[in-house]
Amino acid sequence: LVWNRLNPQNVLDYPKQSSIDCADCPASWHRDELSLAFSDDEGETWTDPVVIARKPNGNVSYPYMFEVEPGKLWISASGGLRIALNVADFTPAKE
């Protein structure tokens, strides 16, 4: 899973905005960080999220992830992000 969390990493509360035309109620528009987490049980549990991209006062959002080969991910997002990651770098080895 790749997504923008509601709050920046290690921040418990982030200002909500209601003046944006596409929101009926105040919402978090935090788009400075992109996080990654994995599940190996169909989404019942997840690894702790890891920030994989940060663009302070910028925008890194609308991610697209493609597994180009087993264990190798290509991730792109608005804001010019283009990265390749290895799943093994983020998950513990299985016995």
Side-chain angles (χ1 to χ4, degrees):
L1 176 66
V2 180
W3 81 107
N4 297 105
R5 290 192 252 179
L6 292 176
N7 303 322
Q9 182 179 25
N10 300 323
V11 174
L12 298 178
D13 192 29
Y14 190 76
K16 307 296 187 274
Q17 299 177 19
S18 61
S19 61
I20 297 174
D21 291 336
C22 60
D24 289 336
C25 60
S28 169
W29 293 93
H30 170 63
R31 301 292 185 265
D32 296 358
E33 296 176 345
L34 201 59
S35 294
L36 173 74
F38 295 94
S39 175
D40 62 3
D41 58 9
E42 302 297 322
E44 291 291 321
T45 61
W46 293 88
T47 61
D48 289 335
V50 175
V51 174
I52 58 169
R54 223 178 237 121
K55 196 171 185 181
N57 301 315
N59 187 327
V60 58
S61 58
Y62 301 102
Y64 175 80
M65 180 170 50
F66 177 71
E67 188 172 22
V68 64
E69 60 187 55
K72 185 170 185 174
L73 305 175
W74 286 352
I75 300 171
S76 62
S78 68
L81 179 71
R82 306 287 182 271
I83 56 176
L85 301 174
N86 293 307
V87 172
D89 293 337
F90 296 90
T91 56
K94 291 187 178 185
E95 296 179 11

